Amino acid sequence: MSERIQIAELHPDICLRTYGVGECDAVLGTTGQRKCFGTRITCQDPANYKIRGSVAELSDVTVTATDVQMTGRFTVDAWVLFGAASGSVDVFQACEIVIGCAGGAWFVEHGSDTDALIDPPADWFRLRIVRDGTKLTVYYNNRVAGTITTSGTYDGPVGFDPSGPSVSVQSVKIWHGLPIQRPEIIDYLPDAELAHHWSFVEGTGLTIADRRGGPDMVAADTVTWSDGDTKSVNVLRHSRNQEGLPRINLVPDVDDVSLSPSRINLGGTDATSSAIGLRATCDLSLLDAPHHDRGVDPYARERVSGAAQADAVGYDPNDRGTYWTKFLARNPYYEGRTILIRDGAVGDDLGDMEVREYLWHSLAISSGDTVAIQAVDVLTKINIDAVQVPPVSQGILTADITSGDSGFTLSPSGVGATYAASGYYTLGDESGLFTRSGDVITFGTRGILGTVASEHKAGDTFQESLYYDEDPTIDVCVDLLSRGGVPSSYYDVDYLNENAEQWLGVYVVSRFIPKPTNVLTLFASLIQEASCYSVFDEQDRQIIIDQVRPLLPGDTVHVFADNTSLLKNATAVTEKPDLRVASVVINSGIRSPLLDDKRTNYRTTQAFIDGGAISVDQYGGGNTLEIFSRWLTTADAYDTGLRMSSRFRDTPMRIMFSLTREEAEGVAVGDICQVTTRKRVDETGLSEEVIYQIIERNPGGATVKFLAQDYPFSFRYGGVISPNDAPDYDVATTEQRALYAYITDENGLLPDGSTGHVIL
Amino acid sequence: MTNVFTSPTNYDCGNEPAILYDNIFLRGTVTVSSEESAYPYENALDGLTTDYWQPSAMPATFEVSLSGSEAVDCIGVVGDLNGAVVIVEYYESSAWSAAATFTGVTATCWVGLFASLSKARWRVRFTGSTAPILAILYLGKAMRFERRIYVGHSPAPLSRITDKVMHMNEGGMTLGSAVVRRGVSTSVSVKNADPTWYRQTFDRFVQAAIDTPYFFAWRPMKYREAMFGETQDDIRPTNALANGFMETEFQIRGIAR
């Protein structure tokens, strides 16, 4: 039996400072004044409002807290940036655990136990050391960096010894009793489990206080301080009114949580959604009621005593307004803030629960004292924000220019600083290269990429353009996401590159973007043209980018069947004839990026028509998918067309099924599964084992619903060269036939009549 | 599960139903020995079972100074004691003395009954290695019914409200079930109540029950079962007999473990 609980966790901003203390110079001196509520709109002076911590840059500086003890199961969590290391140096120490670098190879060490670590990321990352039993694991963000088996004491200094590389740090925490595997939940656990927290918010000086009252970190020399980028948030947790909730402060006002999952659009063939599929949304329905403000208002106790009011007259916050009316008055800037939905069972630690992440979109208080909150996934956020790249340029011509002029001066004065020192431009219907000094533009080559130099009038906008020139697909995807304002924590560049290596390894893309264009539109077109799919997995909180590709030997396939895990009366099979593609037409070699998508604007048009599929013997016709590729070379466009026509030549079938939450654990959107059900049989009526790709995962209520689509390819790919003693095809086992590539006859057929492998 | 305790263990608290709605912590000056910043002591006094007080060090005390002596014979707790021993103490002659001690309590919703004492300064002391985390702490004088409840009553801890979804696979095999516990619910029938008792004693509870949750133990000595809950509708009596005896019935919904 599983007993489910669900917690909605809201993260509005909250000021790091304390009213009237230290750098906050607010004073209760005027009649009617009151202490702030820790929020921007209630702050008396915006200069006092601070939500971003500080960064301590440590170069040749040792910073340690002495006499720290770590006991039992613990987690050390630090938000750091390591510089390049050389020689043999210790970099970070947590009691007797040391992370360092020797001869360019990173290691973790505890006593005589040591293990190599993978190289740390070149950007800011979460360094975690998790001890569970005798196993000590080091993580960089979500990835295991190394593991040692060790025991003994953990009693000593904690800190940094960057005698080699420089280190930047924003926070170090130590949790006792919790071996935390998922970094993203660390900030949101109750303070009671936090043993030490050096938050590096000081911004000045040599001492970093332990906010839990333990030993301070002290720098042996000067520390360079700068502004950090991690925000301080208030963690407000809401749940349904039920038994078995964890012992943490909760407001039991949740009436309903409705999650609409994201859905993959394989190959962009589903016209009912964009090339990057359907977005995930979360709809919360809550009940409004009076509230005491504890846990919300940092000065709740002083409101009652009167110490928070200039007139010293106290009041009971429970007697004024309701939870959500007060929230809205104090937090009008909730849009874009994080909402987490935690799903778990009674008895689960908060850190063990499934977490889904959304961004707050809207809040409405109805006449019936119910509150509706809608949140969306991060890709929807950048669409809603209508982020464009390149950004709109503000500079204009001060005077007319001719087709032969070599440069001009931008207006208004000073606008030149908003342009790069050199790059690409678009001016009317002309594109080219430029360099800049102050407000003065000097043309390089005028009239490139199918455009011609022409005359232009005073007041014409000089638009800086963006050019991706033979860049790897993943690099461009990541750049677009970054320009769209998607935080880097939402995508793992190393993991995406690893994933892309098999099929996108030599894929490079080029595109000239002359004028501001919606980032999501660019991203979606690239995804489709590169024969990929993308989805935001709100559970892993990662943007997935993967290829539409054949099953490879060694791919994980989840197995479900009627007599095992498929829940009763929840399985349905649907044919999707609208997704079948009888022919793919792909246009490449764009003549001018300033012109619209018509065949006349492209040099090459390639058609992939499956004659068998459109013959009267088979489907007798079908849809044409036409792609105007602004990203691909003609050769790569061929690969995309071939892959798309193979993948979608037959009518795709979709299957809907449900699993218990326990069975659904570890099954993610994008995964491959094999389903055997009486709803899909062979010609004799026997249930078939059919391979599908999961395109949607809906964690509604007590069960998890899945939507999956057929995973057939009409050609075989992905075989390995067999060893010398492997048998011939006709006597090989099923497993050998699936694994090895075999030479076909002159008709491309294997001895059993099936199609052989195709070399791409 | 036993969740009514007496101190000492052989103290005879009788079997008349007991309701603890009174809480002296709401009438005096409260001080606590310590508290975690996210778990202030007010959370244990607000009647909500979803916010908590947790001391940051052990042993811990939760103390109240009253303007005058008040009778106390009952403690009600919702939360995890985490192995702590609970000692109810009063201050007299410059020293603290124990009025009741409860050890080995593992229930998360429980009531403790002891001989009544009337003092002006009280505290609850928690000893042990791990700090308790408490959603509710009541200390006061339990209201006792005139007579016992007999047949027709559904003991609250046994009267569960549950949402349940059974899972079965396409082949007909059970794959478990999903349960959401919604607490417990019962109704209490008061019959043949003396009109003076009803007006002077019971009606105080009726007024408090409008907005105050309470502990209820239906037969504390014999069946050591209690719940913490609230009444959603007004409690109204009727004159049942010609001699003025009154009767009423009310529903309670809450938690019992």
Side-chain angles (χ1 to χ4, degrees):
Chain A
M1 176 189 78
S2 74
E3 202 167 341
R4 310 304 307 182
I5 53 177
Q6 203 169 31
I7 295 173
E9 195 176 284
L10 284 52
H11 295 166
D13 298 343
I14 193 160
C15 184
L16 277 167
R17 293 176 172 156
T18 303
Y19 187 98
V21 173
E23 292 167 300
C24 175
D25 60 5
V27 173
L28 278 180
T30 308
T31 302
Q33 269 193 345
R34 66 180 72 85
K35 288 191 178 182
C36 67
F37 289 83
T39 64
R40 174 65 180 82
I41 201 160
T42 62
C43 185
Q44 286 176 346
D45 184 346
N48 291 329
Y49 185 67
K50 184 176 170 72
I51 57 170
R52 296 192 185 279
S54 312
V55 172
E57 294 171 20
L58 316 173
S59 296
D60 294 330
V61 174
T62 299
V63 177
T64 51
T66 54
D67 299 324
V68 176
Q69 275 189 329
M70 300 194 296
T71 58
R73 305 153 88 199
F74 59 75
T75 297
V76 179
D77 168 69
W79 187 236
V80 290
L81 168 65
F82 287 168
S86 60
S88 182
V89 289
D90 293 345
V91 178
F92 176 71
Q93 182 173 357
C95 299
E96 289 90 347
I97 305 166
V98 174
I99 288 177
C101 184
W106 288 81
F107 63 87
V108 57
E109 189 178 84
H110 181 254
S112 60
D113 303 296
T114 185
D115 189 25
L117 295 176
I118 60 175
D119 288 350
D123 202 346
W124 283 92
F125 71 100
R126 205 122 203 181
L127 170 67
R128 275 180 304 127
I129 306 170
V130 176
R131 183 204 183 195
D132 195 358
T134 57
K135 188 174 167 188
L136 201 91
T137 308
V138 178
Y139 295 84
Y140 300 154
N141 295 326
N142 260 343
R143 303 182 68 190
V144 174
T147 305
I148 53 176
T149 300
T150 183
S151 58
T153 60
Y154 300 87
D155 187 347
V158 172
F160 298 88
D161 184 8
S163 48
S166 64
V167 171
S168 296
V169 55
Q170 291 195 46
S171 149
V172 178
K173 293 178 177 178
I174 298 178
W175 306 84
H176 283 168
L178 297 171
I180 299 168
Q181 308 303 328
R182 297 175 63 112
E184 61 278 9
I185 57 91
I186 282 178
D187 285 327
Y188 315 134
L189 290 169
D191 273 351
E193 283 104 356
L194 184 59
H196 300 281
H197 182 195
W198 299 277
S199 61
F200 290 83
V201 296
E202 285 76 7
T204 184
L206 301 178
T207 301
I208 297 96
D210 181 352
R211 297 174 79 182
R212 301 299 292 164
D216 297 338
M217 279 194 190
V218 178
D221 203 339
T222 306
V223 172
T224 303
W225 293 93
S226 58
D227 285 339
D229 59 7
T230 52
K231 281 207 294 185
S232 62
V233 294
N234 203 358
V235 179
L236 306 176
R237 297 191 176 102
H238 298 257
S239 69
R240 285 191 174 85
N241 188 12
Q242 64 181 99
E243 280 197 82
L245 295 169
R247 297 286 188 225
I248 53 175
N249 293 334
L250 290 162
V251 181
D253 60 353
V254 172
D255 189 35
D256 187 54
V257 178
S258 174
L259 304 178
S260 294
S262 48
R263 184 187 293 184
I264 294 172
N265 185 352
L266 292 170
T269 55
D270 188 347
T272 62
S273 69
S274 79
I276 50 174
L278 291 177
R279 308 269 54 80
T281 58
C282 164
D283 289 285
L284 296 174
S285 176
L286 307 105
L287 305 168
D288 205 6
H291 189 257
H292 47 61
D293 275 357
R294 287 189 296 277
V296 178
D297 175 9
Y299 311 107
R301 190 174 270 171
E302 295 173 56
R303 308 285 172 203
V304 177
S305 68
Q309 284 78 251
D311 59 9
V313 175
Y315 68 88
D316 185 351
N318 210 50
D319 294 337
R320 292 193 182 187
T322 58
Y323 184 99
W324 286 106
T325 51
K326 288 187 283 190
F327 178 91
L328 201 52
R330 298 165 187 167
N331 298 276
Y333 312 122
Y334 59 83
E335 266 190 80
R337 273 48 176 186
T338 300
I339 294 179
L340 302 182
I341 302 296
R342 298 183 182 276
D343 261 295
V346 169
D348 279 352
D349 286 333
L350 211 58
D352 294 331
M353 294 185 180
E354 265 182 26
V355 181
R356 282 177 180 74
E357 179 169 326
Y358 304 88
L359 298 179
W360 206 325
H361 175 50
S362 66
L363 186 156
I365 302 175
S366 77
S367 56
D369 289 333
T370 57
V371 174
I373 290 177
Q374 190 185 55
V376 297
D377 73 19
V378 66
L379 291 178
T380 305
K381 181 71 170 61
I382 63 175
N383 196 40
I384 290 169
D385 290 347
V387 178
Q388 293 185 316
V389 292
V392 174
S393 298
Q394 302 293 330
I396 60 174
L397 271 59
T398 48
D400 296 356
I401 63 171
T402 69
S403 62
D405 281 335
S406 61
F408 66 94
T409 301
L410 284 166
S411 175
S413 174
V415 75
T418 63
Y419 289 79
S422 65
Y424 293 85
Y425 73 88
T426 297
L427 181 59
D429 55 4
E430 171 190 333
S431 293
L433 289 121
F434 74 93
T435 57
R436 178 190 64 82
S437 175
D439 290 337
V440 175
I441 297 291
T442 302
F443 289 121
T445 308
R446 293 183 65 173
I448 62 170
L449 300 172
T451 66
V452 294
S454 52
E455 59 183 37
H456 303 282
K457 299 290 185 188
D460 284 357
T461 296
F462 184 73
Q463 174 66 49
E464 186 169 348
S465 301
L466 181 60
Y467 191 17
Y468 293 107
D469 188 6
E470 295 188 356
D471 292 322
T473 307
I474 292 298
D475 287 1
V476 175
C477 287
V478 167
D479 189 64
L480 286 172
L481 291 174
S482 174
R483 288 172 185 271
V486 177
S488 59
S489 58
Y490 286 119
Y491 45 88
D492 185 336
V493 178
D494 291 340
Y495 178 76
L496 291 176
N497 278 321
E498 252 180 61
N499 225 26
E501 205 175 2
Q502 182 84 42
W503 293 91
L504 284 178
V506 294
Y507 243 51
V508 292
V509 295
S510 301
R511 179 164 179 167
F512 184 74
I513 306 168
K515 294 180 181 178
T517 308
N518 186 292
V519 162
L520 210 58
T521 303
L522 292 169
F523 183 75
S525 66
L526 174 58
I527 289 299
Q528 183 183 39
E529 291 177 32
S531 194
C532 292
Y533 64 84
S534 181
V535 69
F536 179 67
D537 185 332
E538 62 268 27
Q539 187 175 349
D540 276 346
R541 299 148 81 169
Q542 290 287 295
I543 293 172
I544 297 170
I545 301 173
D546 205 346
Q547 304 79 50
V548 177
R549 59 167 178 81
L551 205 58
L552 293 173
D555 277 345
T556 299
V557 178
H558 305 288
V559 178
F560 308 118
D562 277 347
N563 62 348
T564 54
S565 44
L566 294 182
L567 289 178
K568 190 178 174 63
N569 295 333
T571 305
V573 175
T574 315
E575 278 213 335
K576 301 291 290 181
D578 49 318
L579 301 184
R580 182 172 63 82
V581 175
S583 57
V584 177
V585 177
I586 187 160
N587 303 277
S588 55
I590 191 167
R591 295 180 192 275
S592 169
L594 294 174
L595 299 179
D596 292 340
D597 280 337
K598 294 178 183 170
R599 288 190 190 174
T600 49
N601 194 27
Y602 289 82
R603 292 192 174 80
T604 307
T605 298
Q606 301 178 89
F608 299 84
I609 301 170
D610 191 314
I614 63 172
S615 72
V616 295
D617 293 343
Q618 295 187 26
Y619 297 104
N623 298 329
T624 297
L625 174 66
E626 181 150 18
I627 298 172
F628 294 93
S629 174
R630 292 180 178 246
W631 292 100
L632 301 178
T633 63
T634 296
D636 288 343
Y638 175 89
D639 290 342
T640 291
L642 180 65
R643 201 176 291 173
M644 300 283 275
S645 69
S646 172
R647 176 74 169 84
F648 299 106
R649 64 95 66 197
D650 287 313
T651 300
M653 293 190 79
R654 284 186 178 172
I655 184 168
M656 192 182 309
F657 60 91
S658 293
L659 306 174
T660 61
R661 286 192 168 273
E662 290 74 22
E663 285 284 345
E665 222 169 290
V667 182
V669 68
D671 282 2
I672 309 302
C673 61
Q674 175 188 290
V675 181
T676 309
T677 171
R678 60 186 172 82
K679 300 292 178 66
R680 194 160 177 188
V681 301
D682 64 15
E683 59 271 22
T684 70
L686 199 65
S687 297
E688 270 191 308
E689 294 175 350
V690 181
I691 303 291
Y692 301 88
Q693 185 164 21
I694 293 171
I695 62 172
E696 182 180 292
R697 184 185 194 277
N698 190 348
T703 60
V704 182
K705 299 181 183 59
F706 292 90
L707 182 65
Q709 186 164 316
D710 264 352
Y711 197 70
F713 267 78
S714 60
F715 293 106
R716 287 183 195 227
Y717 304 98
V720 302
I721 304 297
S722 62
N724 292 336
D725 59 352
D728 291 342
Y729 185 86
D730 49 4
V731 295
T733 65
T734 306
E735 290 74 22
Q736 287 169 326
R737 290 182 181 182
L739 179 61
Y740 300 138
Y742 292 85
I743 305 296
T744 65
D745 64 15
E746 67 275 14
N747 298 314
L749 298 176
L750 291 163
D752 63 358
S754 60
T755 313
H757 285 86
V758 173
I759 298 173
L760 283 181
Chain B
M1 174 187 260
T2 298
N3 62 350
V4 174
F5 304 94
T6 52
S7 176
T9 51
N10 60 356
Y11 170 67
D12 186 349
C13 62
N15 276 310
E16 289 73 16
I19 291 183
L20 178 62
Y21 67 90
D22 176 44
N23 192 358
I24 61 171
F25 287 119
L26 299 177
R27 289 197 294 280
T29 303
V30 172
T31 53
V32 295
S33 56
S34 65
E35 62 185 16
E36 291 283 357
S37 60
Y39 298 94
Y41 75 85
E42 291 93 337
N43 285 349
L45 305 179
D46 60 11
L48 301 175
T49 57
T50 52
D51 56 24
Y52 303 87
W53 166 66
Q54 184 174 43
S56 56
M58 289 291 278
T61 56
F62 203 114
E63 182 181 327
V64 64
S65 291
L66 303 165
S67 57
S69 294
E70 293 200 32
V72 170
D73 67 359
C74 186
I75 180 172
V77 176
V78 175
D80 290 329
L81 291 178
N82 292 326
V85 174
V86 180
I87 309 163
V88 180
E89 296 177 326
Y90 60 90
Y91 193 79
E92 189 169 69
S93 304
S94 306
W96 289 98
S97 303
T101 302
F102 302 95
T103 59
V105 176
T106 57
T108 55
C109 169
W110 61 277
V111 163
L113 291 155
F114 47 93
S116 179
L117 287 170
S118 201
K119 306 292 175 187
R121 193 171 164 194
W122 290 88
R123 75 179 184 183
V124 180
R125 188 158 60 93
F126 302 89
T127 63
S129 57
T130 306
I133 182 163
L134 304 185
I136 300 288
L137 180 61
Y138 280 27
L139 187 66
K141 183 93 170 103
M143 182 201 74
R144 308 303 296 268
F145 283 29
E146 286 183 292
R147 57 188 67 83
R148 302 166 190 179
I149 290 177
Y150 291 97
V151 297
H153 175 72
S154 300
L158 308 178
S159 305
R160 302 173 188 89
I161 309 166
T162 307
D163 294 342
K164 188 170 178 178
V165 174
M166 292 289 297
H167 298 315
M168 192 176 290
N169 74 4
E170 288 280 0
M173 299 296 291
T174 303
L175 295 176
S177 57
V179 169
V180 177
R181 281 179 289 145
R182 300 284 188 192
V184 296
S185 172
T186 189
S187 66
V188 180
S189 179
V190 180
K191 291 187 183 302
N192 301 321
D194 180 89
T196 303
W197 175 81
Y198 189 99
R199 286 175 169 80
Q200 292 184 354
T201 303
F202 192 77
D203 192 58
R204 286 189 196 160
F205 156 69
V206 170
Q207 292 178 61
I210 293 173
D211 58 7
T212 302
Y214 51 90
F215 290 86
F216 173 70
W218 76 284
R219 203 168 174 93
M221 193 65 193
K222 183 170 185 183
Y223 298 111
R224 305 223 167 194
E225 300 165 337
M227 69 174 289
F228 177 76
E230 55 188 338
T231 300
Q232 277 158 346
D233 297 319
D234 292 326
I235 303 171
R236 298 196 183 98
T238 53
N239 289 319
L241 298 173
N243 60 1
F245 274 21
M246 308 178 83
E247 66 180 23
T248 187
E249 187 169 344
F250 57 97
Q251 311 285 327
I252 318 174
R253 182 164 174 161
I255 58 173
R257 63 166 174 138

